Structure formats: C-alpha cells, structure tokens
Amino acid sequence: MIRRTTPPTTWDTSRPPAWLPRALLYVVLATFAGILAWRALSMLTTVTTIVVISWFLALAMEPLIAWLVRRGVRRTRATGIVMIGSIVVILGLLGLFGGLFVTQLIELVQSLPRFYTQLTDLADTRFGLDLPTQVELLDRLGENWQDLAPGIVGVGTSVLGGLFTTTAVLLVVYYMASAGPKFRAAICRYLAPHRQREVLRLWEVSQEKVADFINSRIVLAALSTAFTFVFLTILGVPYALPLAAFTGVVSQFVPTIGTYIGGALPVVVALSVSPLKGLLVLAFIVGYQQVENLVFAPKVSARSLQLNPAVSFLAVLAFGAVFGALGAFLALPVAATIQAVSNVYLRRHELVDSEMLREDSTRAPEEGTAEDTEEDVPAGNDPAVTAPSPTAGATDTAGAPEGTQTDQP
C-alpha cells in the first residue's frame, strides 16, 4: 500500500506571520483603553469619595430608620426625619461652640500686642535678642500682602468645594437610605441566588460594624470630654465643660485633623488667661492623644468591633497612608467587616497539641517540679508504668468495667 505524504510547508522567514498585525492592533487598543480607564478613575476620585461616604452614612442611619419604620412611619419620611434631626444637632453644636470660639478668638487677637511686648522684653533681658517691634511687623506684612493672596484664594476655593461635596453627599445619602430594600433588590437582581445571600450577608455585617464603630467613637468622645474637663477645671480655665465637649466630639468625628481642631480652642482660651496655662493645655492635648492612640482606642475598638488592638492600630495607619483622611476614618469598620467575612468563608482547622498554643494558666508545671514529683512516686504505683502494653493486656483491659483495675502477671 502506497501512502502519499504532503511535503512540509516551508516558512518564509522574510515575511512576518499573518497573526502578528492583528496582535499588535489588539495590544495598542488595550493600552489606550487602560490609559483612558486610569485617567477616568483619577478624574472620578471626588465621585468615588462621595459614594463611599454616602454608603457608610446610609449604613449608620439604617438602625434609626428601621426603628421608625417598625413604628409605622414611611421609609422616605423616616429617612428625612433622621437626616434633619442629625443636621439640627450638628448645627446646634456648631452654633454653641462656634460662638464661644469667635469670642475667645477676638479676645486672643486683642491680647496679642501685650503678649508680643512681653515676649520681646523677655528675649531682650534674658537672651539679648533684638526682635522687631510691632510697627515693623505690620510694615512687613503690608509689603508682602500680595504673597498671601494666592493662599487666601485657595482657602476660598476649598470652602466652596467642601460645600459642594457636602450637598452631594446629603443627596446621595437620602436616595440610598430612602430606597433601602429596593436599592438592595436592584443590586441582587443581577446575581444568582447563592450570590445574593453572600451580598446580603456582607451588607448586614457592614451595617453592624459601622454601628459598632459609631458607638466606639461615642465612647472615646466621652472619655476625651471627661479627662479634658478635669484638667481644665484643675487649671482654672473658663468654660471648661463646653471646651471639653468640643474637644471630645471634634477629635473623634473629624478624621486626621480633628485632634488639632478640637485642641485648638482650649489652647486659645487658656492663652487668653495665661501663656503658661496655654502651654500646659497644649502639652495635655498632645499627651492625651498619645495615650488615646496607644491605650484607649485599641481597647475600645477591640471590644465594640471585636478587633485585636494591634490590628486596629495598624489598620488606621495603613488605610490612612493609602487613602488619606477618609481611609483613616473608615479603617476600623472596614477592617472589622473584612475580619467578620473572613470568619464566615475561610476554612478553619483543628489546632495541634503544643505548649506554644496554651494559655499561661493552663500550661504544665515547670520541668524541675515535674521531675521531683516523679521521683517521689514509687515505680510500682505509677499509672504510666502499670499501664497495659498494647499486646499483653489489651483484651483484659478492654473487657474490664470502667473504674476497675486488672491484675498484671
């Protein structure tokens, strides 16, 4: 039988393969698509921030909204009641503390010339320094006022941007919270039933952790208020209670810079009384912040969010470094949510028997004590020695009633 074999096709090395132009076209298109997507994400940073803040605020409001709905209030009306009530409380606090801040700031500005005169006299008599007079400082400020204009314009732009972001967040929060189950149903319609259960479970866990986070912030604000009030009362600083409340609330609910804003008002008021008291209050604010970061915050977060103190502290540092102020503020509820979801979906294994895994109170006695005990016990009465071997007494021991002792030959 004769088989015909086709000769192998010769490859023309002088010409590129037929698929190469199409592959290069796909690579170019994918590169341009990636660049456009990256630029779009960078331009949508504000929108992403608004969505994230609105989602967490909606989760925080959900328990109060659900409480009102269970009592017969329509969900849209309950959402409006909760939002308006929260805004009224915030505006009331701002009005109370804002008036005090403005009053003390005016008094401090009026006393600045006297403080500067005392400072120049002290520098001249103690250290021999010749500081410029107040008239010279005002003349230099008037000459360089044009250098300060861009900074003032930048502050005004930031204020307008903050107002726009706040308005957008309020609108998105209302739509998210008022939709409630409809919003969740609209998302779950695109998922399979088992995926729907996972998403709803994640939603529920996130809601619980955000509520726990708000509770932990309230506890930390109460601690800060109490300690600050005691210290200001000891120093004899006026308006001790409102100043302490302002410090506690702002330091806990304003991310990153809240501590400095909250501590600025007590320092300003103490400076209006005495420069020494102002320095003491500043030192207390800085010291208490360190104690709160290292002692109070990790323990409170561990109890309310069920997070390890070291994990909560590192989560704040990591999220703050990556996502800025917003990441530092939302680090704890996000980390607690990740931990709760991991506990549900990650597989657990039995632990091996090791001394390294036992608590200190349940560990065996020290080696010296154990050796002494073994020496005092006679060899014939030692249970480990009189235990039957696997071959000799296995049948007799297995058949003996529980609690009886079989005689060994």
Side-chain angles (χ1 to χ4, degrees):
M1 184 176 180
I2 302 174
R3 295 181 179 178
R4 295 181 179 180
T5 58
T6 59
T9 58
T10 59
W11 184 265
D12 188 2
T13 57
S14 62
R15 297 179 60 186
W19 53 266
L20 184 59
R22 182 177 298 179
L24 292 176
L25 178 62
Y26 288 159
V27 169
V28 172
L29 292 178
T31 303
F32 276 103
I35 294 174
L36 290 177
W38 181 261
R39 292 191 62 184
L41 289 176
S42 62
M43 294 178 181
L44 294 176
T45 303
T46 304
V47 177
T48 306
T49 303
I50 291 173
V51 172
V52 172
I53 295 176
S54 303
W55 187 59
F56 275 94
L57 289 178
L59 292 178
M61 291 168 50
E62 183 63 26
L64 290 177
I65 295 174
W67 183 80
L68 291 175
V69 170
R70 287 194 298 267
R71 279 151 181 78
V73 183
R74 293 179 57 184
R75 187 171 186 87
T76 55
R77 188 173 299 174
T79 305
I81 292 173
V82 173
M83 289 189 64
I84 293 174
S86 302
I87 293 173
V88 168
V89 171
I90 294 174
L91 291 179
L93 292 175
L94 291 178
L96 176 64
F97 298 128
L100 175 63
F101 178 79
V102 172
T103 302
Q104 296 299 321
L105 183 62
I106 292 174
E107 294 180 0
L108 177 64
V109 171
Q110 292 176 350
S111 60
L112 281 179
R114 177 170 54 87
F115 289 155
Y116 188 77
T117 302
Q118 295 175 359
L119 179 63
T120 53
D121 294 340
L122 179 63
D124 188 15
T125 55
R126 294 288 182 87
F127 305 101
L129 298 177
D130 187 13
L131 297 179
T133 62
Q134 300 178 18
V135 178
E136 293 176 353
L137 287 178
L138 293 177
D139 292 339
R140 293 179 183 178
L141 183 63
E143 294 174 357
N144 300 324
W145 69 271
Q146 295 180 351
D147 297 335
L148 301 176
I152 297 174
V153 173
V155 170
T157 305
S158 301
V159 171
L160 293 177
L163 292 176
F164 170 77
T165 304
T166 302
T167 305
V169 166
L170 292 178
L171 290 175
V172 177
V173 166
Y174 178 78
Y175 290 130
M176 281 187 176
S178 61
K182 294 181 180 180
F183 181 66
R184 292 189 286 270
I187 295 177
C188 291
R189 287 185 188 277
Y190 297 97
L191 303 174
H194 65 284
R195 295 296 181 187
Q196 294 180 20
R197 295 186 182 91
E198 294 177 0
V199 170
L200 293 176
R201 174 58 181 165
L202 177 61
W203 202 296
E204 183 181 3
V205 170
S206 302
Q207 181 175 314
E208 293 175 358
K209 296 307 176 182
V210 170
D212 293 338
F213 171 70
I214 297 298
N215 294 333
S216 66
R217 295 291 99 181
I218 293 175
V219 171
L220 292 175
L223 289 174
S224 178
T225 300
F227 281 99
T228 307
F229 172 72
V230 171
F231 186 80
L232 294 179
T233 303
I234 293 175
L235 285 184
V237 178
Y239 310 107
L241 183 57
L243 288 175
F246 176 82
T247 302
V249 172
V250 174
S251 63
Q252 301 304 321
F253 289 97
V254 177
T256 307
I257 60 174
T259 302
Y260 308 104
I261 298 176
L265 185 57
V267 172
V268 168
V269 176
L271 281 174
S272 64
V273 177
S274 169
L276 178 60
K277 291 184 178 181
L279 293 177
L280 291 176
V281 172
L282 178 61
F284 168 78
I285 295 296
V286 174
Y288 179 80
Q289 182 63 28
Q290 303 306 315
V291 173
E292 181 184 277
N293 291 337
L294 299 176
V295 180
F296 293 154
K299 290 185 177 181
V300 172
S301 301
R303 290 182 178 272
S304 60
L305 298 174
Q306 298 180 355
L307 279 174
N308 184 275
V311 172
S312 61
F313 181 70
L314 292 176
V316 173
L317 294 180
F319 278 80
V322 176
F323 301 105
L326 179 62
F329 184 70
L330 300 178
L332 296 182
V334 171
T337 302
I338 294 174
Q339 179 179 351
V341 174
S342 301
N343 293 336
V344 175
Y345 292 102
L346 291 183
R347 183 180 178 184
R348 299 296 185 91
H349 299 276
E350 294 184 1
L351 297 176
V352 298
D353 187 11
S354 174
E355 292 289 336
M356 300 290 292
L357 302 177
R358 297 176 186 173
E359 297 290 342
D360 295 337
S361 59
T362 59
R363 290 192 177 185
E366 297 180 358
E367 294 182 0
T369 307
E371 291 176 358
D372 296 341
T373 306
E374 291 177 358
E375 291 177 358
D376 295 337
V377 178
N381 298 331
D382 192 353
V385 177
T386 59
S389 62
T391 57
T395 306
D396 297 337
T397 307
E402 191 173 326
T404 62
Q405 182 177 358
T406 59
D407 297 333
Q408 301 294 330

